[in-house]
Amino acid sequence: MATTYGIIVCDGTPCINSGARTLTSALQEQLDRHGLRDRVTISLSGCLGMCDKGPILVVNPGYTIYGHVTEADIPEIIEEHLVHGRPLARLAIQEDHLYNRFFRVFGDEKFFGKQMRIALRNCGIIDPENIDDYLSLRGFEALAKALTELTPEQVVAEVEKSGLRGRGGAGFPTGLKWKFTAAQKATPKYVICNADEGDPGAFMDRSAIEGDPHTVVEGMVIGGYAVGASKGIVYIRAEYPLAIRRITKAVEDARAHGLLGENILGSDFSFDIEIRLGAGAFVCGEETALIHSIEGARGMPRPRPPYPSVQGLFGRPTLINNVETWANIPVILLDGANWFRTVGTENSKGTKVFALAGKVVNTGLIEVPMGTTLREIIYEVGGGIPDGKKFKAVQTGGPSGGCLPEGYLDTSIDYDSLARAGSIMGSGGMIVIDEDSCMVDIAKFFLEFTQNESCGKCTPCREGTKRMLEILTRITEGQGRPGDVEKLERLGDTIQKASLCGLGQSAPNPVLSTIKNFREEYEEHIHEKRCRARACTNLVTYQITEKCVGCGACRRVCPVAAITGAAKKLHVIDQDKCVKCGMCFNTCKFDAIAKV
Ligand SMILES: Cc1cc2nc3c(=O)[nH]c(=O)nc-3n(C[C@H](O)[C@H](O)[C@H](O)COP(=O)(O)O)c2cc1C
Ligand code: SF4
Ligand code: SF4
Ligand code: SF4
Ligand code: FES
């Protein structure tokens, strides 16, 4: 019998942006041409985690993964792979990357290689807009189990036993939070999914929803049953249109299947979900600001206690969890807390999703068991530092986190070890930094972000971050003064201690951690007016060297006519005119311009 094939086209945002959406019609056209329509199914999937190689296309059976596929490649793929049965080596991703390996063993519950997918178990596997795909992979079985075999108290106990901690940043024990909310007498109660995801560069939650929105819906219904809530709200930023569309469809489909609404699965439990859009302020991810935002008020934090479990949305008990936290719930109920506890470390159970970015070969979305080391993530999952550059630091926890140097590479990824090392787990941002980046500049980047996003309610954060940013700006511009580092430390300490919410309390972290681990770079900027990474524009001078062949290319691109020289003669830069735009440096093909 002729082989039947299944082709999966990755429909995650990065692949869409690199052109994946043009592939489907090209595939259909070629299948028609070869009369293969009846033997081939085409389906879409969420992110496979290999976004740097997108658009991604997978051909089954055999799990051949094709990367960087263009419309023009489709005829060859169909001809070679589907007609002649020879996978096209030119585009197949051959390296033994961990994501290839996990993909091949999907369905095996034991982890393979360094990655393990619990929260993202269906991403890249199911068509996220087809609830039947989810149902075929034991979707909503955990909900059925909860409603038919377990009391709400037993569900809470199972989550508590699992050791799951909140994936939104703070790492609060999830079961304990559920227990507090369940213990409240006031009604109605609410359940919220926090999909605000405001950290710069973070895309874990967006990808999780884009790839498998159903698991979040299922997790929330189970949460509602466990704590006695009748209404759930997904708070998601408006900048995530694809994720919004998919979660909205997942909610509608769940309703149509009797998995949401009145008397779910014939039980006496009723629960429904509403989608609320946020306008994209970082502070609105903070739970009390988020609640204000849903209530229609300005998204500003308030002091806690009372915690949302006691007084949350509209003053009622509210259970609020992060997208990834919710995505773990069905697995905990189906495979059991005892199994879940076998993954991870003593105090951090399960896996963690990271958006791996920066100077690393394989950027993308990864999920690894807690306890994996930073070195394993960067060098094994991430494939190391590109272009033979030297590793300098890894930034975890986004704008609330810290930068860890080489000496910390063997730190285990878990809440306690990262905190001991001087950073945090955060929600999963991980940026790898090489020797070409300036640590003062990196600290400034994150502080600029938090300063901009400060809601202005309390003085230490509103004014303090501004003063810190002024000092950092002058240091990077070559105007640093003796005593500036100490001033940053004092200000940072005060802001951490006196700010009202987590934004202010953590805003100084990138600065304080870079001072702790890279103090010499601050000192060089201040005392020697030197940036060793040559990243701070004001501290860099461009000079033409003996290698110059006088081609004139730099002279033609210089926007201020600072370069002079006759054809085939050594050119010269007038330093008084130069505005340090770097265009000459980027243009010279003879490596004749030095940054000093
Ligand atoms: C400034 C700030 C931004 C935050 N942004 C998010 C966010 O985008 N997503 C999230 O889940 N939690 C965010 N949090 C944490 C939430 O306040 C809350 O702790 C979390 O949603 C609880 O869910 P979890 O226990 O499942 O982590 C943020 C906290 C602060 C202080
Ligand atoms: S710490 Fe900053 S973001 Fe938080 S309430 Fe105060 S001013 Fe607003
Ligand atoms: S581009 Fe390079 S080689 Fe050409 S004139 Fe400028 S410095 Fe010399
Ligand atoms: S850095 Fe910019 S301004 Fe300076 S010489 Fe080169 S091109 Fe001209
Ligand atoms: S979006 Fe396609 S692999 Fe990430």
Side-chain angles (χ1 to χ4, degrees):
M1 204 175 83
T3 316
T4 53
Y5 289 98
I7 299 181
I8 301 170
V9 181
C10 179
D11 202 40
T13 297
C15 278
I16 292 172
N17 290 344
S18 56
R21 287 264 165 100
T22 61
L23 302 183
T24 317
S25 51
L27 280 167
Q28 277 158 351
E29 199 178 296
Q30 288 304 313
L31 294 180
D32 283 341
R33 208 181 129 233
H34 291 281
L36 290 170
R37 268 292 180 112
D38 296 344
R39 283 175 44 205
V40 182
T41 56
I42 300 174
S43 55
L44 302 178
S45 78
C47 177
L48 285 147
M50 310 159 75
C51 322
D52 59 329
K53 296 179 177 57
I56 297 285
L57 191 143
V58 182
V59 179
N60 282 318
Y63 304 117
T64 305
I65 304 173
Y66 290 112
H68 299 300
V69 182
T70 65
E71 236 180 306
D73 296 320
I74 299 297
E76 200 182 347
I77 292 176
I78 300 295
E79 173 92 29
E80 285 299 304
H81 196 145
L82 272 60
V83 177
H84 300 299
R86 297 186 295 244
L88 184 62
R90 181 173 72 78
L91 292 172
I93 297 175
Q94 303 281 5
E95 308 109 279
D96 190 20
H97 283 312
L98 294 152
Y99 35 64
N100 303 13
R101 280 190 262 157
F102 98 77
F103 197 82
R104 289 197 180 95
V105 297
F106 170 73
D108 184 340
E109 66 182 51
K110 286 191 214 75
F111 73 93
F112 211 85
K114 292 288 183 289
Q115 278 214 60
M116 180 183 194
R117 297 208 159 192
I118 295 179
L120 303 178
R121 63 197 176 281
N122 294 323
C123 293
I125 310 293
I126 62 164
D127 175 349
E129 297 194 21
N130 184 350
I131 196 171
D132 291 338
D133 266 21
Y134 182 69
L135 290 169
S136 72
L137 292 174
R138 304 184 70 194
F140 287 98
E141 231 181 81
L143 173 65
K145 178 176 175 184
L147 294 181
T148 57
E149 295 174 26
L150 303 171
T151 62
E153 294 74 23
Q154 284 172 319
V155 175
V156 172
E158 195 69 4
V159 173
E160 199 175 4
K161 188 174 168 195
S162 74
L164 177 68
R165 293 171 65 171
R167 304 299 196 232
F172 190 80
T174 306
L176 209 55
K177 199 189 269 190
W178 287 33
K179 202 163 154 181
F180 290 152
T181 320
Q184 300 307 309
K185 298 278 174 273
T187 54
K189 294 181 189 178
Y190 298 97
V191 158
I192 294 177
C193 169
N194 187 345
D196 188 58
E197 193 165 57
D199 298 25
F203 53 90
M204 300 79 58
D205 295 344
R206 190 201 70 208
S207 297
I209 292 182
E210 285 180 2
D212 179 10
H214 313 285
T215 190
V216 174
V217 172
E218 184 177 4
M220 289 177 74
V221 189
I222 294 169
Y225 172 70
V227 303
S230 52
K231 178 152 187 190
I233 294 173
V234 177
Y235 185 85
I236 181 166
R237 57 178 45 223
E239 290 106 315
Y240 284 178
L242 186 60
I244 293 167
R245 196 181 85 207
R246 292 194 173 151
I247 189 83
T248 306
K249 184 164 191 314
V251 165
E252 284 163 4
D253 290 348
R255 221 177 265 140
H257 281 72
L259 299 161
L260 271 180
E262 298 295 319
N263 303 104
I264 295 174
L265 293 175
S267 70
D268 56 7
F269 173 61
S270 301
F271 183 85
D272 214 334
I273 293 180
E274 185 188 333
I275 313 291
R276 286 292 192 99
L277 306 192
F282 178 51
V283 75
C284 283
E286 194 281 337
E287 56 192 23
T288 60
L290 185 151
I291 286 169
H292 286 152
S293 170
I294 296 178
E295 288 170 346
R298 187 167 166 190
M300 271 183 162
R302 63 153 173 82
R304 296 171 310 168
Y307 287 93
S309 324
V310 179
Q311 253 182 55
L313 190 60
F314 304 115
R316 302 289 158 181
T318 301
L319 172 65
I320 175 161
N321 278 125
N322 168 259
V323 171
E324 190 184 332
T325 314
W326 288 120
N328 276 287
I329 299 297
V331 180
I332 290 171
L333 283 206
L334 268 192
D335 290 338
N338 284 337
W339 171 79
F340 192 81
R341 291 183 64 79
T342 62
V343 184
T345 66
E346 179 67 25
N347 292 320
S348 304
K349 299 297 181 195
T351 55
K352 181 75 196 85
V353 177
F354 290 98
L356 187 61
K359 304 292 179 60
V360 64
V361 174
N362 305 320
T363 54
L365 196 69
I366 63 163
E367 182 173 355
V368 288
M370 299 277 192
T372 306
T373 65
L374 287 167
R375 188 185 299 282
E376 287 168 323
I377 291 182
I378 295 165
Y379 287 93
E380 294 185 41
V381 181
I385 317 297
D387 305 324
K389 297 279 181 181
K390 206 170 163 312
F391 168 88
K392 191 186 228 179
V394 56
Q395 209 279 348
T396 66
S400 312
C403 293
L404 301 175
E406 198 167 6
Y408 289 93
L409 274 176
D410 292 312
T411 304
S412 140
I413 290 289
D414 62 76
Y415 294 98
D416 311 314
S417 305
L418 281 170
R420 265 197 308 275
S423 189
I424 60 163
M425 175 89 79
S427 57
M430 187 178 285
I431 301 171
V432 182
I433 297 162
D434 74 3
E435 56 189 308
D436 289 342
S437 297
C438 164
M439 299 313 292
V440 188
D441 195 44
I442 299 258
K444 186 175 139 233
F445 166 80
F446 283 110
L447 197 73
E448 222 159 16
F449 174 80
T450 34
Q451 212 298 305
N452 255 324
E453 297 289 331
S454 163
C455 80
K457 181 169 180 169
C458 62
T459 316
C461 168
R462 184 185 66 236
E463 300 299 326
T465 53
K466 215 171 191 119
R467 299 291 88 80
M468 284 184 84
L469 185 58
E470 279 167 8
I471 298 172
L472 284 172
T473 304
R474 72 168 180 252
I475 295 177
T476 54
E477 288 180 350
Q479 310 292 325
R481 303 171 199 153
D484 272 353
V485 174
E486 293 71 18
K487 215 175 259 176
L488 283 171
E489 286 176 319
R490 273 200 311 277
L491 266 169
D493 185 51
T494 310
I495 296 166
Q496 280 179 332
K497 287 183 180 141
S499 292
L500 173 61
C501 85
L503 190 151
Q505 286 157 10
S506 63
N509 292 357
V511 183
L512 298 179
S513 78
T514 47
I515 292 179
K516 176 172 167 251
N517 295 317
F518 300 91
R519 196 179 187 104
E520 65 287 357
E521 289 200 29
Y522 281 82
E523 304 289 352
E524 284 163 9
H525 280 70
I526 295 169
H527 302 294
E528 301 169 32
K529 309 295 174 208
R530 184 166 72 86
C531 169
R532 64 166 73 176
R534 297 179 184 90
C536 294
T537 314
N538 275 21
L539 302 180
V540 168
T541 310
Y542 292 92
Q543 284 175 5
I544 297 181
T545 68
E546 291 300 321
K547 288 187 190 166
C548 173
V549 299
C551 73
C554 59
R555 178 164 37 81
R556 288 191 289 277
V557 297
C558 178
V560 293
I563 304 177
T564 51
K568 299 192 181 159
K569 291 278 188 295
L570 185 81
H571 280 43
V572 194
I573 296 176
D574 180 344
Q575 298 298 340
D576 291 337
K577 283 190 184 164
C578 173
V579 294
K580 305 185 184 199
C581 70
M583 285 174 71
C584 55
F585 181 83
N586 295 333
T587 303
C588 180
K589 290 197 173 73
F590 301 92
D591 196 22
I593 302 184
K595 254 186 185 184
V596 290

